[in-house]
Amino acid sequence: MNVAAMQRLIAELRQSGISDENVLAAIGAVDRERFVAAPFAERAWENTALPISFGQTISQPLVVAAMTEALRVGPRMKVLEIGTGSGYQAAVLAKLARRVYSIERFKPLSKEAERLLINLGIYNVVCDVGDGSKGWPGQAPFDRIIVTAAAEERPQALIDQLGVGGILIVPVGRDPTTQVVERIVKSESGLQRDTLMPVRFVPLVSGPLPVLGQG
Ligand code: SAH
């Protein structure tokens, strides 16, 4: 890993307001170079989103850091991620949680991420292929759920799969120019919601997959 570049990014994240040392350590421990397509390897430690396969993107490190910080993950927790993509966010979560379940609708992305995580010695991530907007009922309830694609509406199935005391982090918005990350906290007395920051995510897509190669 390019340690100097990694440390520059960590310093930048700190300056941007990320203060959770566990989150910063997790980001510093995952070699982002391994998760981006080869031509972008030298830009892997820039604070920018980069392309991966199928027209998808690996999120900007500051967004990963802020959403992970807002998720308040503890070492005994069971976390669900929607949108495995490159597997980068899952790898960061794996450093903080007991177990991570991650769903991706593109099978090749899921398989590639699964292989990469094993190669990196990360064994507490379980990947599955499917429509993550429906969650993972067989493994519910979850302590934490993070969606890394933009939902048009607050996904009720995911709220239902949160345990009491659970936190859901989800970008919401139909239009990429008005997306915001929302945090939903479930307690005995109901749901509490607050808005974290504006973002630009690829859409959370439900329903059948496009024909391979056109997507
Ligand atoms: N977390 C990823 C980046 C996410 S990009 C990373 O760290 O690299 C968003 C991903 O969500 C894309 O790979 C996209 O295919 C996936 N996605 C979109 N809609 C989905 C759905 N309904 N279920 C599962 N995955 C979905």
Side-chain angles (χ1 to χ4, degrees):
M1 138 151 52
N2 183 341
V3 175
M6 178 274 281
Q7 286 170 340
R8 273 196 298 278
L9 175 65
I10 298 296
E12 189 177 338
L13 296 179
R14 249 187 240 285
Q15 259 166 15
S16 305
I18 305 299
S19 60
D20 185 324
E21 291 302 327
N22 293 328
V23 170
L24 291 166
I27 287 176
V30 176
D31 191 353
R32 194 165 180 263
E33 264 183 48
R34 303 289 299 270
F35 293 84
V36 302
F40 297 98
E42 46 186 68
R43 300 187 55 196
W45 292 104
E46 289 177 23
N47 186 17
T48 175
L50 291 169
I52 57 175
S53 322
F54 295 98
Q56 306 302 319
T57 50
I58 178 172
S59 311
Q60 183 191 355
L62 179 58
V63 172
V64 172
M67 287 173 68
T68 306
E69 187 171 64
L71 201 58
R72 299 185 198 134
V73 182
R76 300 174 63 84
M77 289 182 181
K78 182 173 168 181
V79 181
L80 174 65
E81 180 199 20
I82 313 304
T84 315
S86 68
Y88 177 74
Q89 171 77 70
V92 171
L93 291 169
K95 302 282 176 195
L96 299 165
R98 179 170 57 83
R99 192 171 291 279
V100 179
Y101 295 84
S102 187
I103 310 179
E104 168 58 52
R105 64 195 286 266
F106 286 110
K107 186 172 180 181
L109 279 180
S110 175
K111 293 299 164 199
E112 208 174 304
E114 198 169 38
R115 229 186 348 259
L116 177 56
L117 292 166
I118 295 293
N119 282 340
L120 294 174
I122 296 172
Y123 302 115
N124 57 338
V125 178
V126 186
C127 295
D128 196 14
V129 179
D131 178 4
S133 60
K134 298 185 172 67
W136 193 323
Q139 287 294 343
F142 295 95
D143 300 303
R144 300 289 186 263
I145 302 179
I146 180 169
V147 184
T148 62
E152 291 195 352
E153 275 147 37
R154 254 160 248 133
Q156 189 57 45
L158 300 183
I159 295 172
D160 293 343
Q161 288 174 35
L162 267 185
V164 172
I167 299 179
L168 166 66
I169 300 289
V170 54
V172 181
R174 285 169 193 280
D175 176 347
T177 61
T178 58
Q179 284 174 21
V180 288
V181 175
E182 291 192 358
R183 171 166 52 194
I184 294 166
V185 181
K186 192 186 247 187
S187 68
E188 300 280 6
S189 55
L191 301 175
Q192 228 189 321
R193 181 159 57 85
D194 63 332
T195 297
L196 300 174
M197 61 185 161
V199 279
R200 263 171 191 264
F201 271 92
V202 298
L204 183 70
V205 184
S206 307
L209 278 172
V211 176
L212 284 186
Q214 297 186 355

